[in-house]
Structures are given as structure tokens and as C-alpha cells.
């Protein structure tokens, strides 16, 4: 059986999964599905209506495909309009955020708090689907959500939410296998304190076998990914989404992913080769006015666990803090990468 399009994906993470990190991730894995940071529908629509450039929100490199746009919002009309802009920009998927519990997100009436309003979520999904269908933009609308919120965290609550949103036109769900507390915990604490309940996601798949169900939350290795993709009592999930582990140590997590999960036997560049390619990318972007620190910060974990990793982090930190000529900063970083016997390595 061919792998699902969502077999492995990197979670949308604020201040992390911008287009620069996504480019870095794609240098390592050709197959993992990438997601933008959450972008509010309101920001996209108001920018477009004002005649301003949408690249700030919707810009990405062609190399990033397959790449999904994650939207936040709760106004069906605005969501539909934003989805159209995402489709025109060339995204492969529109994902609706129903998982973020931050106060800022709740104040905008979107994110995890919308689990309590399945009819409104369904209306958003339906409006987006109808808008895309009217323009023949046949890209999937997906939902990333939690297993519950506050004391609304029963199987029946999750089943009802998924069933009603599915009826509106969504057939792919990524489930963060923790509930969210809408008050009393920070977003970071909400990623760590509510216990993981992977069995809940498998039970959901049992009840909705026709849906594509992916799992997210606490997954840190390819071994854990394999375990979660393996059938349990005849039930197999359709994908695994990894968050912080993929950002903190992208090469360690992704280098073997294409071969192990997708059967893709093409050679993967070494860490140092990836670093050299990414520095080339950073130099091109810097000539277009992109600030160097916005790109260098994403490469901190590239050599995680390898000799010389600490020196690399220090060099990046100096480059991050420098206000000097980007070419000089990049030359100093390149000096840490050298070629011996035709293979790039990292200078310890």
C-alpha cells in the first residue's frame, strides 16, 4: 500500500515553521509534509483588501511542496476568502487550527476554544470548501484539533465534534492526543502537562475508518513514529505529525525518514552538506533584504548530537547577534564546514 500523503508531517509552530525553516527541512526530507505557522484569516483578508503584498503571510519557496497553509479564524466568510488566497498562492492543503489554547488565540475566538462550537467549525469548513469548489481549486481542507478541552473530553464529545465537521466536508483530521485547558496553563504547559492519550486517537479511527486520522503530541523519534503507524487490533492511523523534536534536531529526525517511511532510497545530504546549502540559501535571501538572524536561528539544531555541535551553535549565536556584513558572517560560518575526501564535514 502506498504511504498516505500525511504519513509524516512537521507540525505548524508559531515562530518556528516559517518559510526559512521549511526550506531547511526540505533540504533533508523530500517527502515530509510541511505546515506554515498559523496565519489568521483576518490578517490575510485585510492585507489583500488593502492592496498590499500577501507574501508576508503566504510566501513560500517552490521547493517546499508539499506544503500546507494553516489558518486561524472563526468567521466563515473570512475563512473562505483566506482559503481562496491560499489556493491562489499554490498551497497543497488548507488546515484549520482548532488546537491552539493560548489566551491571544482565544481572544480572537479561534483555536482550541472552537472545539466547544462544532457547528461554527463546520460552517467554516463548509464555506471554505464551497469557495474552493467554485473556483475549481481542488485542494483538501483539513483540521488539527485536540482530544478535548477542559472537562469536555469524553469520547462522545470528540466523536460528535469530528462527525459534525466531517459532515461539512473535512475528511482529514490531525489529533493532538492531549486535551487543552483553556485557562490555568500556558501554551507550553498545554503541550506537556495534560497526559497523552494515544488510545483515544486509535478509538476515533475505529469509529471513523473512512477518515484519514493522524496523531500528534509528544512524538520525538522515528521509532515512535513507526510504533504509532503500526496497526493496533486491526486499526492503523494514517499519519504522524511531529513538532518540537523536528525543529530542535531536524537532521537527526528527518534524515532517515524518506527511506524508512516512504521507501525513498535516494541519497540524503550529510549535515554539513545541508548546512552549506542552507548558508547559500541564506546568502541569496540576505541580498533580497531578509535579516540574517531570521534564518540562522533555525539552523541551531542541525548538528544536534554530533561532534562540533556546540561550536556550531556558538558560531550561529555570534552571527545572530552580528549587525555586520552578512557575507562576512556567512563566510565565518562556512569556515566551520570543510571538505575532506569529497565529503563535507563540520570543524569541531
Amino acid at each position: 500500500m502506498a504511504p498516505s500523503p500525511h504519513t509524516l508531517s512537521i507540525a505548524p509552530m508559531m515562530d518556528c515553521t516559517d518559510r526559512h525553516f521549511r526550506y531547511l527541512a526540505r533540504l533533508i526530507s523530500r517527502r515530509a509534509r510541511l505546515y506554515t505557522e498559523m496565519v489568521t484569516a483576518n490578517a490575510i483578508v485585510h492585507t489583500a483588501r488593502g492592496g498590499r503584498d500577501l507574501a508576508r503571510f503566504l510566501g513560500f519557496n517552490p521547493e517546499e511542496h508539499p506544503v500546507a497553509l494553516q489558518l486561524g479564524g472563526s468567521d466563515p466568510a473570512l475563512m473562505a476568502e483566506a482559503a481562496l488566497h491560499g489556493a491562489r498562492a499554490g498551497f497543497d492543503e488548507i488546515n484549520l487550527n482548532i488546537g491552539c489554547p493560548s489566551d491571544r488565540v482565544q481572544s480572537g475566538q479561534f483555536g482550541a476554544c472552537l472545539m466547544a462550537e462544532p457547528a461554527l467549525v463546520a460552517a467554516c469548513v463548509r464555506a471554505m470548501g464551497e469557495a474552493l469548489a467554485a473556483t475549481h481549486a481542488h485542494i483538501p481542507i483539513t483540521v488539527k484539533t485536540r482530544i478535548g478541552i477542559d472537562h469536555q473530553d469524553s469520547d462522545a464529545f470528540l466523536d460528535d465534534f469530528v462527525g459534525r465537521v466531517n459532515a461539512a466536508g473535512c475528511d482529514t483530521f490531525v489529533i493532538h492526543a492531549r486535551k487543552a485547558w483553556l485557562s490555568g496553563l500556558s501554551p507550553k504547559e498545554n503541550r506537556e502537562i495534560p497526559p497523552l492519550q494515544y488510545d483515544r486517537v486509535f478509538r476515533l479511527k475505529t469509529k471513523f475508518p473512512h477518515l484519514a486520522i493522524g496523531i500528534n503530541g509528544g512524538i520525538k523519534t522515528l521509532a515512535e513514529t513507526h510504533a504509532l503507524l503500526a496497526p493496533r487490533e486491526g486499526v492503523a492511523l494514517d499519519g504522524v505529525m511531529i513538532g518540537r523534536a523536528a525543529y530542535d534536531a531536524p537532521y537527526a529526525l528527518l534524515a532517515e525518514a524518506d527511506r524508512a517511511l516512504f521507501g525513498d532510497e535516494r541519497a540524503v545530504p550529510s549535515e554539513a552538506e545541508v548546512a552549506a546549502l542552507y548558508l547559500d540559501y541564506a546568502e541569496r535571501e540576505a541580498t533580497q533584504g531578509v535579516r540574517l538572524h531570521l534564518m540562522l536561528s533555525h539552523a541551531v539544531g542541525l548538528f544536534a548530537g554530533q561532534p562540533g555541535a556546540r561550536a556550531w551553535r556558538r558560531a550561529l549565536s555570534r552571527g545572530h547577534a552580528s549587525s555586520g556584513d552578512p557575507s562576512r558572517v556567512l563566510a565565518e560560518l562556512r569556515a566551520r564546514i570543510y571538505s575532506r575526501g569529497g565529503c563535507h564535514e563540520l570543524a569541531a
Side-chain angles (χ1 to χ4, degrees), residues 43-320:
I44 293 172
V45 170
H46 282 240
T47 298
R49 290 179 181 176
R52 298 186 297 277
D53 188 2
L54 283 170
R56 173 187 172 191
F57 300 111
L58 302 180
F60 66 95
N61 295 282
E63 294 89 346
E64 293 175 39
H65 290 293
V67 58
L69 169 66
Q70 188 182 67
L71 291 176
S74 59
D75 182 306
L78 288 179
M79 293 296 289
E81 195 170 340
L84 284 174
H85 286 297
R88 291 171 188 144
F91 285 97
D92 301 295
E93 172 188 332
I94 306 295
N95 180 263
L96 180 55
N97 183 325
I98 312 293
C100 181
S102 77
D103 292 341
R104 181 165 63 90
V105 165
Q106 289 184 58
S107 67
Q109 295 185 306
F110 51 93
C113 63
L114 287 177
M115 284 202 80
E117 300 187 62
L120 180 55
V121 177
C124 289
V125 167
R126 185 175 293 108
M128 290 190 290
E130 290 174 352
L132 293 173
T135 61
H136 306 287
H138 300 296
I139 60 175
I141 296 166
T142 65
V143 167
K144 184 175 187 292
T145 190
R146 296 271 185 147
I147 58 173
I149 51 172
D150 296 336
H151 296 293
Q152 297 174 289
D153 63 345
S154 66
D155 280 3
F157 174 77
L158 181 60
D159 294 349
D160 177 69
F161 176 83
V162 169
R164 294 171 73 174
V165 177
N166 169 235
C170 175
D171 60 9
T172 300
F173 294 80
V174 179
I175 311 296
H176 187 154
R178 289 185 174 95
K179 73 175 180 179
W181 288 101
L182 299 182
S183 62
L185 294 181
S186 69
K188 181 177 186 297
E189 290 170 330
N190 259 306
R191 294 194 301 268
E192 298 171 350
I193 293 177
L196 287 162
Q197 299 183 58
Y198 292 151
D199 287 347
R200 295 278 306 279
V201 184
F202 280 89
R203 289 203 297 272
L204 183 71
K205 178 66 178 180
T206 300
K207 295 168 186 174
F208 295 92
H210 61 293
L211 299 183
I213 304 290
I215 192 167
N216 169 237
I219 305 157
K220 298 178 180 177
T221 67
L222 279 184
E224 293 170 343
T225 299
H226 272 291
L228 288 167
L229 289 173
R232 294 189 185 183
E233 299 180 1
V235 177
L237 299 178
D238 300 279
V240 169
M241 177 179 278
I242 302 181
R244 300 287 157 176
Y247 185 81
D248 292 341
Y251 194 89
L253 187 101
L254 295 173
E256 290 297 314
D258 289 2
R259 181 191 59 78
L261 299 176
F262 298 93
D264 188 335
E265 297 294 342
R266 288 176 290 181
V268 179
S270 69
E271 294 103 316
E273 289 168 333
V274 169
L277 291 168
Y278 188 64
L279 294 181
D280 290 344
Y281 164 81
E283 186 159 35
R284 293 194 299 271
E285 291 289 308
T287 64
Q288 301 300 312
V290 179
R291 294 181 179 178
L292 204 55
H293 75 271
L294 296 176
M295 297 173 281
L296 297 185
S297 59
H298 297 310
V300 168
L302 185 56
F303 292 93
Q306 298 300 313
R310 182 178 298 177
W312 172 255
R313 292 195 299 270
R314 286 199 301 266
L316 282 175
S317 179
R318 289 194 299 271
H320 186 283

